[in-house]
DNA sequence: AGCAGACATTCGTATATATGCATCTACTTA
DNA sequence: TAAGTAGATGCATATATACGAATGTCTGCT
């Protein structure tokens, strides 16, 4: 019986639970970018990028700014970047410990 | 065309993308707990808790320690907690800015 | 050995998510 | 106002995830 905060928290995490969206965020660390630029940089079709951006937007992870014909997307809160950075560190540490192997063999018993 | 690191990163995020799992992690901040304790604390059926724990285990988010009949679960890396804390802060800031409303009306144009 | 308690796993079903393709809309500029 | 371009949306399908109910597996005790 999860409470509201946990649900929002989970939604936020779920929002980051896509490799493409992670790469979008990584790309946006260097500053605002348009959909085209992202599409080109990640080599992902434009409608697909658009949809992922829509998800990120809905959760308030990215913001939009119109400039002429283009729409520039940016990261809404630097803490998002920080959180991602921490998680990446966790990953790195796991890899160092050879978790890559353990991942497949760890069901606690049997 | 997402790379391997981004995929692992996304998997880690996806792992946190469940309200129940978030609450499990919150509960584990106070120290190790058994499946029963978690099941009781969250008011979620045991097999369900077990499944979520299995997911967390696979991704190396939690660790297990057997003690007699019980299996104690704990958070494997304090950085996980830190990352969660950051994300919760993002949530709080969003709520303060009235994002709760904007979430429903933000499709950038139309 | 047999039983009971603590976890794990399997299966079926309901629901969500991702993607490609085609299409549509809204600006901007000529 | 017509054209062109950036971006969004709808639809269909494939795939993944969540949960309940039932069942399986250890382990410790008597």
């Amino acid at each position: 019986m999860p409470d509201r905060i946990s649900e929002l928290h989970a939604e936020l995490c779920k929002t980051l639970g896509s490799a493409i969206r992670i790469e979008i965020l990584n790309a946006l660390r260097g500053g605002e970018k348009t959909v085209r630029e992202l599409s080109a940089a990640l080599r992902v079709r434009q409608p697909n990028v658009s949809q992922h951006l829509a998800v990120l937007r809905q959760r308030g992870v990215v913001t939009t700014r119109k400039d002429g014909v283009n729409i520039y997307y940016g990261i809404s809160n630097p803490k998002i970047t920080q959180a991602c950075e921490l998680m990446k560190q966790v990953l790195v540490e796991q890899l160092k410990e050879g978790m890559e192997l353990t991942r497949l063999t760890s069901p606690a018993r049997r």
Side-chain angles (χ1 to χ4, degrees), chain A residues 6-109:
Chain A
S6 300
E7 271 173 18
L8 289 175
H9 194 157
E11 266 188 51
L12 181 53
C13 291
K14 216 179 296 182
T15 301
L16 306 180
S18 147
I20 292 184
R21 291 199 285 273
I22 289 291
E23 300 215 354
I24 287 177
L25 291 180
N26 285 337
L28 292 182
R29 288 196 194 187
E32 295 177 324
K33 289 202 171 38
T34 67
V35 178
R36 292 268 149 194
E37 288 172 329
L38 289 170
S39 172
L42 310 186
R43 302 177 57 73
V44 172
R45 283 169 232 281
Q46 176 268 318
N48 199 355
V49 171
S50 242
Q51 299 207 94
H52 285 293
L53 285 172
V55 173
L56 292 168
R57 211 171 46 206
Q58 277 181 357
R59 265 56 168 218
V61 176
V62 299
T63 55
T64 58
R65 177 177 68 79
K66 277 206 69 172
D67 180 45
V69 198
N70 302 308
I71 298 184
Y72 286 88
Y73 280 84
I75 298 179
S76 68
N77 189 328
K79 286 184 181 174
I80 304 254
T81 310
Q82 292 175 39
C84 284
E85 197 47 48
L86 270 171
M87 288 196 276
K88 197 170 292 181
Q89 285 177 32
V90 172
L91 272 183
V92 171
E93 293 177 16
Q94 281 183 351
L95 291 174
K96 275 187 188 164
E97 296 165 17
M99 285 299 286
E100 211 24 304
L101 294 172
T102 335
R103 275 183 61 215
L104 305 168
T105 58
S106 57
R109 53 212 180 103

